[in-house]
mmCIF file of all heavy atoms in Angstrom:
data_model
loop_
_atom_site.group_PDB
_atom_site.id
_atom_site.type_symbol
_atom_site.label_atom_id
_atom_site.label_comp_id
_atom_site.label_asym_id
_atom_site.label_seq_id
_atom_site.Cartn_x
_atom_site.Cartn_y
_atom_site.Cartn_z
ATOM 1 N N GLY A 297 -18.993 21.927 20.885
ATOM 2 C CA GLY A 297 -18.722 22.047 19.451
ATOM 3 C C GLY A 297 -18.969 20.748 18.715
ATOM 4 O O GLY A 297 -19.501 20.738 17.602
ATOM 5 N N GLY A 298 -18.584 19.611 19.337
ATOM 6 C CA GLY A 298 -18.790 18.307 18.717
ATOM 7 C C GLY A 298 -20.263 17.992 18.528
ATOM 8 O O GLY A 298 -20.664 17.441 17.503
ATOM 9 N N ILE A 299 -21.072 18.369 19.523
ATOM 10 C CA ILE A 299 -22.523 18.133 19.443
ATOM 11 C C ILE A 299 -23.154 19.015 18.365
ATOM 12 O O ILE A 299 -23.967 18.559 17.558
ATOM 13 C CB ILE A 299 -23.186 18.392 20.813
ATOM 14 C CG1 ILE A 299 -22.716 17.333 21.831
ATOM 15 C CG2 ILE A 299 -24.706 18.363 20.691
ATOM 16 C CD1 ILE A 299 -23.108 17.639 23.261
ATOM 17 N N LEU A 300 -22.758 20.284 18.346
ATOM 18 C CA LEU A 300 -23.325 21.223 17.387
ATOM 19 C C LEU A 300 -22.954 20.897 15.942
ATOM 20 O O LEU A 300 -23.751 21.077 15.023
ATOM 21 C CB LEU A 300 -22.878 22.655 17.726
ATOM 22 C CG LEU A 300 -23.431 23.255 19.030
ATOM 23 C CD1 LEU A 300 -22.832 24.631 19.290
ATOM 24 C CD2 LEU A 300 -24.958 23.356 18.967
ATOM 25 N N THR A 301 -21.710 20.431 15.715
ATOM 26 C CA THR A 301 -21.260 20.132 14.343
ATOM 27 C C THR A 301 -21.578 18.697 13.923
ATOM 28 O O THR A 301 -21.454 18.359 12.751
ATOM 29 C CB THR A 301 -19.738 20.357 14.207
ATOM 30 O OG1 THR A 301 -19.052 19.490 15.127
ATOM 31 C CG2 THR A 301 -19.364 21.800 14.500
ATOM 32 N N ASN A 302 -21.967 17.849 14.890
ATOM 33 C CA ASN A 302 -22.305 16.443 14.637
ATOM 34 C C ASN A 302 -21.110 15.658 14.080
ATOM 35 O O ASN A 302 -21.252 14.785 13.229
ATOM 36 C CB ASN A 302 -23.484 16.326 13.664
ATOM 37 C CG ASN A 302 -24.108 14.932 13.695
ATOM 38 O OD1 ASN A 302 -24.065 14.258 14.715
ATOM 39 N ND2 ASN A 302 -24.665 14.511 12.563
ATOM 40 N N SER A 303 -19.900 15.989 14.574
ATOM 41 C CA SER A 303 -18.684 15.336 14.091
ATOM 42 C C SER A 303 -18.203 14.282 15.086
ATOM 43 O O SER A 303 -17.925 14.594 16.243
ATOM 44 C CB SER A 303 -17.574 16.383 13.877
ATOM 45 O OG SER A 303 -16.321 15.759 13.746
ATOM 46 N N LEU A 304 -18.083 13.028 14.620
ATOM 47 C CA LEU A 304 -17.555 11.965 15.481
ATOM 48 C C LEU A 304 -16.076 12.194 15.772
ATOM 49 O O LEU A 304 -15.603 11.959 16.879
ATOM 50 C CB LEU A 304 -17.743 10.592 14.830
ATOM 51 C CG LEU A 304 -17.143 9.407 15.602
ATOM 52 C CD1 LEU A 304 -17.793 9.268 16.977
ATOM 53 C CD2 LEU A 304 -17.292 8.115 14.809
ATOM 54 N N ALA A 305 -15.327 12.653 14.760
ATOM 55 C CA ALA A 305 -13.904 12.922 14.961
ATOM 56 C C ALA A 305 -13.712 13.946 16.075
ATOM 57 O O ALA A 305 -12.837 13.817 16.924
ATOM 58 C CB ALA A 305 -13.266 13.417 13.666
ATOM 59 N N LEU A 306 -14.576 14.958 16.053
ATOM 60 C CA LEU A 306 -14.488 16.005 17.080
ATOM 61 C C LEU A 306 -14.992 15.498 18.425
ATOM 62 O O LEU A 306 -14.398 15.786 19.473
ATOM 63 C CB LEU A 306 -15.315 17.226 16.634
ATOM 64 C CG LEU A 306 -14.910 18.588 17.227
ATOM 65 C CD1 LEU A 306 -13.449 18.877 16.960
ATOM 66 C CD2 LEU A 306 -15.787 19.683 16.644
ATOM 67 N N LEU A 307 -16.075 14.717 18.409
ATOM 68 C CA LEU A 307 -16.599 14.161 19.658
ATOM 69 C C LEU A 307 -15.650 13.134 20.267
ATOM 70 O O LEU A 307 -15.495 13.062 21.493
ATOM 71 C CB LEU A 307 -17.970 13.517 19.410
ATOM 72 C CG LEU A 307 -19.161 14.482 19.346
ATOM 73 C CD1 LEU A 307 -20.413 13.739 18.899
ATOM 74 C CD2 LEU A 307 -19.392 15.153 20.698
ATOM 75 N N SER A 308 -14.991 12.332 19.418
ATOM 76 C CA SER A 308 -14.018 11.363 19.932
ATOM 77 C C SER A 308 -12.825 12.095 20.523
ATOM 78 O O SER A 308 -12.268 11.700 21.550
ATOM 79 C CB SER A 308 -13.555 10.412 18.817
ATOM 80 O OG SER A 308 -12.858 11.100 17.807
ATOM 81 N N ASP A 309 -12.451 13.195 19.876
ATOM 82 C CA ASP A 309 -11.376 14.033 20.403
ATOM 83 C C ASP A 309 -11.815 14.661 21.724
ATOM 84 O O ASP A 309 -11.032 14.752 22.681
ATOM 85 C CB ASP A 309 -11.026 15.121 19.381
ATOM 86 C CG ASP A 309 -9.733 15.844 19.726
ATOM 87 O OD1 ASP A 309 -8.821 15.182 20.258
ATOM 88 O OD2 ASP A 309 -9.640 17.051 19.475
ATOM 89 N N ALA A 310 -13.085 15.077 21.796
ATOM 90 C CA ALA A 310 -13.621 15.656 23.035
ATOM 91 C C ALA A 310 -13.689 14.602 24.136
ATOM 92 O O ALA A 310 -13.378 14.870 25.305
ATOM 93 C CB ALA A 310 -15.013 16.242 22.782
ATOM 94 N N GLY A 311 -14.077 13.385 23.753
ATOM 95 C CA GLY A 311 -14.126 12.295 24.726
ATOM 96 C C GLY A 311 -12.748 11.959 25.262
ATOM 97 O O GLY A 311 -12.569 11.693 26.453
ATOM 98 N N HIS A 312 -11.777 12.006 24.351
ATOM 99 C CA HIS A 312 -10.401 11.754 24.787
ATOM 100 C C HIS A 312 -9.907 12.890 25.675
ATOM 101 O O HIS A 312 -9.164 12.679 26.633
ATOM 102 C CB HIS A 312 -9.496 11.580 23.568
ATOM 103 C CG HIS A 312 -8.127 11.094 23.920
ATOM 104 N ND1 HIS A 312 -6.999 11.524 23.277
ATOM 105 C CD2 HIS A 312 -7.722 10.226 24.875
ATOM 106 C CE1 HIS A 312 -5.954 10.925 23.822
ATOM 107 N NE2 HIS A 312 -6.356 10.139 24.786
ATOM 108 N N MET A 313 -10.329 14.110 25.348
ATOM 109 C CA MET A 313 -9.937 15.260 26.169
ATOM 110 C C MET A 313 -10.567 15.158 27.562
ATOM 111 O O MET A 313 -9.961 15.558 28.555
ATOM 112 C CB MET A 313 -10.356 16.568 25.484
ATOM 113 C CG MET A 313 -9.689 17.795 26.069
ATOM 114 S SD MET A 313 -9.859 19.253 25.004
ATOM 115 C CE MET A 313 -8.305 19.218 24.120
ATOM 116 N N LEU A 314 -11.772 14.609 27.634
ATOM 117 C CA LEU A 314 -12.414 14.363 28.928
ATOM 118 C C LEU A 314 -11.580 13.372 29.734
ATOM 119 O O LEU A 314 -11.349 13.557 30.932
ATOM 120 C CB LEU A 314 -13.832 13.819 28.714
ATOM 121 C CG LEU A 314 -14.596 13.375 29.972
ATOM 122 C CD1 LEU A 314 -14.828 14.565 30.893
ATOM 123 C CD2 LEU A 314 -15.922 12.729 29.592
ATOM 124 N N SER A 315 -11.108 12.331 29.051
ATOM 125 C CA SER A 315 -10.255 11.354 29.738
ATOM 126 C C SER A 315 -8.919 11.981 30.115
ATOM 127 O O SER A 315 -8.317 11.634 31.132
ATOM 128 C CB SER A 315 -10.018 10.130 28.851
ATOM 129 O OG SER A 315 -9.022 10.362 27.889
ATOM 130 N N ASP A 316 -8.444 12.918 29.278
ATOM 131 C CA ASP A 316 -7.210 13.646 29.612
ATOM 132 C C ASP A 316 -7.364 14.380 30.939
ATOM 133 O O ASP A 316 -6.495 14.328 31.806
ATOM 134 C CB ASP A 316 -6.887 14.689 28.535
ATOM 135 C CG ASP A 316 -6.290 14.072 27.291
ATOM 136 O OD1 ASP A 316 -5.935 12.877 27.354
ATOM 137 O OD2 ASP A 316 -6.179 14.763 26.288
ATOM 138 N N ALA A 317 -8.485 15.105 31.053
ATOM 139 C CA ALA A 317 -8.732 15.871 32.275
ATOM 140 C C ALA A 317 -8.794 14.939 33.482
ATOM 141 O O ALA A 317 -8.216 15.224 34.540
ATOM 142 C CB ALA A 317 -10.040 16.666 32.138
ATOM 143 N N ALA A 318 -9.482 13.806 33.314
ATOM 144 C CA ALA A 318 -9.578 12.830 34.405
ATOM 145 C C ALA A 318 -8.209 12.228 34.709
ATOM 146 O O ALA A 318 -7.839 12.046 35.877
ATOM 147 C CB ALA A 318 -10.563 11.729 34.025
ATOM 148 N N ALA A 319 -7.444 11.929 33.651
ATOM 149 C CA ALA A 319 -6.111 11.340 33.828
ATOM 150 C C ALA A 319 -5.169 12.301 34.527
ATOM 151 O O ALA A 319 -4.420 11.916 35.441
ATOM 152 C CB ALA A 319 -5.535 10.945 32.465
ATOM 153 N N LEU A 320 -5.196 13.554 34.104
ATOM 154 C CA LEU A 320 -4.338 14.568 34.722
ATOM 155 C C LEU A 320 -4.728 14.792 36.182
ATOM 156 O O LEU A 320 -3.870 14.922 37.050
ATOM 157 C CB LEU A 320 -4.422 15.879 33.933
ATOM 158 C CG LEU A 320 -3.785 15.846 32.538
ATOM 159 C CD1 LEU A 320 -4.254 17.036 31.718
ATOM 160 C CD2 LEU A 320 -2.270 15.841 32.636
ATOM 161 N N GLY A 321 -6.055 14.834 36.429
ATOM 162 C CA GLY A 321 -6.532 14.994 37.807
ATOM 163 C C GLY A 321 -6.128 13.817 38.677
ATOM 164 O O GLY A 321 -5.684 13.988 39.816
ATOM 165 N N LEU A 322 -6.246 12.600 38.122
ATOM 166 C CA LEU A 322 -5.868 11.391 38.859
ATOM 167 C C LEU A 322 -4.368 11.368 39.120
ATOM 168 O O LEU A 322 -3.918 11.013 40.220
ATOM 169 C CB LEU A 322 -6.286 10.150 38.063
ATOM 170 C CG LEU A 322 -6.008 8.785 38.705
ATOM 171 C CD1 LEU A 322 -6.777 8.648 40.020
ATOM 172 C CD2 LEU A 322 -6.394 7.657 37.753
ATOM 173 N N SER A 323 -3.574 11.753 38.127
ATOM 174 C CA SER A 323 -2.118 11.782 38.276
ATOM 175 C C SER A 323 -1.704 12.794 39.343
ATOM 176 O O SER A 323 -0.810 12.535 40.151
ATOM 177 C CB SER A 323 -1.460 12.142 36.937
ATOM 178 O OG SER A 323 -1.731 11.158 35.972
ATOM 179 N N LEU A 324 -2.370 13.948 39.322
ATOM 180 C CA LEU A 324 -2.080 14.984 40.318
ATOM 181 C C LEU A 324 -2.456 14.504 41.717
ATOM 182 O O LEU A 324 -1.696 14.686 42.680
ATOM 183 C CB LEU A 324 -2.851 16.264 39.967
ATOM 184 C CG LEU A 324 -2.554 17.510 40.812
ATOM 185 C CD1 LEU A 324 -1.092 17.919 40.675
ATOM 186 C CD2 LEU A 324 -3.456 18.665 40.374
ATOM 187 N N PHE A 325 -3.615 13.851 41.823
ATOM 188 C CA PHE A 325 -4.061 13.309 43.110
ATOM 189 C C PHE A 325 -3.088 12.242 43.617
ATOM 190 O O PHE A 325 -2.773 12.171 44.802
ATOM 191 C CB PHE A 325 -5.463 12.713 42.960
ATOM 192 C CG PHE A 325 -5.955 11.983 44.184
ATOM 193 C CD1 PHE A 325 -6.311 12.683 45.331
ATOM 194 C CD2 PHE A 325 -6.037 10.598 44.186
ATOM 195 C CE1 PHE A 325 -6.746 12.011 46.465
ATOM 196 C CE2 PHE A 325 -6.480 9.917 45.308
ATOM 197 C CZ PHE A 325 -6.834 10.625 46.455
#
Side-chain angles (χ1 to χ4, degrees):
I299 293 170
L300 292 176
T301 60
N302 196 29
S303 165
L304 176 61
L306 205 55
L307 280 172
S308 64
D309 192 35
H312 190 217
M313 195 165 264
L314 174 63
S315 80
D316 283 349
L320 291 164
L322 182 62
S323 297
L324 187 61
F325 173 71

